[in-house]
Amino acid sequence: MTSLASQPAGRSSARRASAQEGGAVRSGMTLAAYLFLSPYLALFIAFMLLPTLAAIGISFMRWDILGTPEFIGLDNYRQIFADPLFLTAIRNTFYFVFLTAIPMVVLGLALAMLLDQKLKGTAFVRTVVFLPYVVMVSTVGILWGWLFDKGTGLVNYYLTTIGIEPIAWLKDTYWSMPALAITTIWWTVNTNMIIFLAALQDISEELHDAATLDGAGPWQRFVYITLPLLRPAMALVTALTIINGWRVFGQAYVMTQGGPEASTFVIVQYIYLTAFQNFEMGPAAAAGVVLLLITLVFSLAQMKLMKAI
């Protein structure tokens, strides 16, 4: 009787010991995970989180860098929204995002699918396609400034060969922003390609083989297998493209300096001009906070849309 009564107690003690051991293992794994993440978290806090919080605080101050900050509430926000140049910058940046977002996603996917083929020389072609991304923005701007030159640029040279009159790309208020969009697509579409390529290579070949045996053609396999499995990559690429589009600055500053007639004047250039030329840190920080909110809204809306599809 004693041994029978002691068995449940023994099992209970074993379960408690097992639970404690499992808890210790989980705690150890959690600690290891935080240790591995700590370098990134330290950099994120130092160079992203703290500057963002500081900018939000400065947006409520009057400060010219040298003097003492003075709290003025929402006056900086009222000032920038009453400034026609800031509203122009928002409109121009939105137009730039509109011109680049869809082509960047579609071309990135098309390039990834093309380079996902098992053909000779594919690795070399991938390297060549990715090379523009490592070029500095100043070099990209100067290079494409030459290409878009009305008199000597190669773009107009090839247009004239098919009967189209030369275009003053960077001096025409209608064509200047499309020129910046073309430059940006050439320069950065390869990052989207890399993300899509990694996602494509993660799709099991067995799914395509089974669909082929069932009589599915290339288009059906793409629509019913590839696209659904690329949804996470599509969401990531679209969000990054939109965020980077709203942060455009270098190309516009090098190629057009915001002209002609402020047709390529973007939000980051407004922040730069206000902060480092006019030394009005409060309005500049307020414009930065507005930019942060805009990118958050667009990114959240896009992610919800992708989940609903």
Side-chain angles (χ1 to χ4, degrees):
M1 295 292 292
T2 304
S3 62
L4 290 174
S6 65
Q7 285 181 9
R11 292 196 191 98
S12 177
S13 298
R15 283 196 295 270
R16 282 197 299 270
S18 177
Q20 290 173 355
E21 183 180 352
V25 170
R26 284 193 295 272
S27 298
M29 294 176 64
T30 302
L31 177 61
Y34 279 116
L35 287 175
F36 279 112
L37 286 172
S38 58
Y40 168 78
L41 290 175
L43 292 173
F44 174 78
I45 292 171
F47 296 104
M48 292 291 292
L49 183 60
L50 292 180
T52 300
L53 295 176
I56 293 173
I58 293 170
S59 70
F60 299 104
M61 306 285 181
R62 180 185 290 115
W63 186 36
D64 62 358
I65 299 181
L66 298 178
T68 303
E70 175 190 354
F71 181 79
I72 58 173
L74 296 175
D75 285 357
N76 288 324
Y77 291 92
R78 296 189 188 98
Q79 177 180 331
I80 62 173
F81 279 107
D83 186 351
L85 190 58
F86 179 70
L87 301 179
T88 298
I90 291 180
R91 184 175 63 250
N92 289 341
T93 312
F94 178 81
Y95 182 41
F96 177 84
V97 172
F98 173 77
L99 289 176
T100 56
I102 294 177
M104 288 273 286
V105 175
V106 173
L107 288 175
L109 178 57
L111 284 170
M113 295 193 66
L114 181 64
L115 296 178
D116 191 40
Q117 307 302 314
K118 294 180 172 125
L119 301 172
K120 264 190 174 182
T122 303
F124 174 75
V125 176
R126 289 176 188 171
T127 304
V128 171
V129 172
F130 186 72
L131 275 178
Y133 185 73
V134 302
V135 180
M136 292 186 300
V137 64
S138 56
T139 306
V140 171
I142 293 170
L143 172 65
W144 279 89
W146 289 339
L147 292 175
F148 281 124
D149 185 83
K150 183 177 180 180
T152 60
L154 287 178
V155 174
N156 279 324
Y157 170 78
Y158 288 113
L159 288 178
T160 55
T161 60
I162 58 175
I164 299 177
E165 290 294 321
I167 299 170
W169 291 92
L170 302 179
K171 299 185 182 301
D172 189 301
T173 56
Y174 181 82
W175 290 108
S176 53
M177 190 61 83
L180 290 183
I182 292 170
T183 302
T184 303
I185 292 168
W186 173 85
W187 183 37
T188 59
V189 71
N190 37 45
T191 56
N192 292 351
M193 178 204 72
I194 293 296
I195 296 172
F196 278 129
L197 188 58
L200 285 170
Q201 292 180 346
D202 199 41
I203 298 175
S204 174
E205 288 291 335
E206 295 176 358
L207 295 173
H208 289 283
D209 294 339
T212 303
L213 290 174
D214 288 338
W219 177 250
Q220 291 172 312
R221 294 198 301 272
F222 173 73
V223 172
Y224 295 109
I225 296 177
T226 304
L227 273 184
L229 293 175
L230 285 178
R231 280 177 59 190
M234 188 81 70
L236 174 64
V237 165
T238 307
L240 290 176
T241 301
I242 290 173
I243 291 171
N244 291 331
W246 279 99
R247 292 165 51 193
V248 62
F249 171 62
Q251 308 92 292
Y253 189 75
V254 173
M255 295 175 68
T256 63
Q257 293 78 49
E261 299 177 19
S263 61
T264 59
F265 192 82
V266 291
I267 294 181
V268 177
Q269 189 170 355
Y270 180 89
I271 296 171
Y272 171 79
L273 178 69
T274 305
F276 300 111
Q277 293 190 17
N278 299 337
F279 299 105
E280 298 180 43
M281 304 306 294
V289 172
V290 171
L291 175 59
L292 173 64
L293 293 175
I294 289 173
T295 55
L296 283 176
V297 168
F298 271 86
S299 299
L300 291 173
Q302 177 273 327
M303 286 189 285
K304 285 195 173 184
L305 179 63
M306 291 300 297
K307 287 181 181 178
I309 295 176

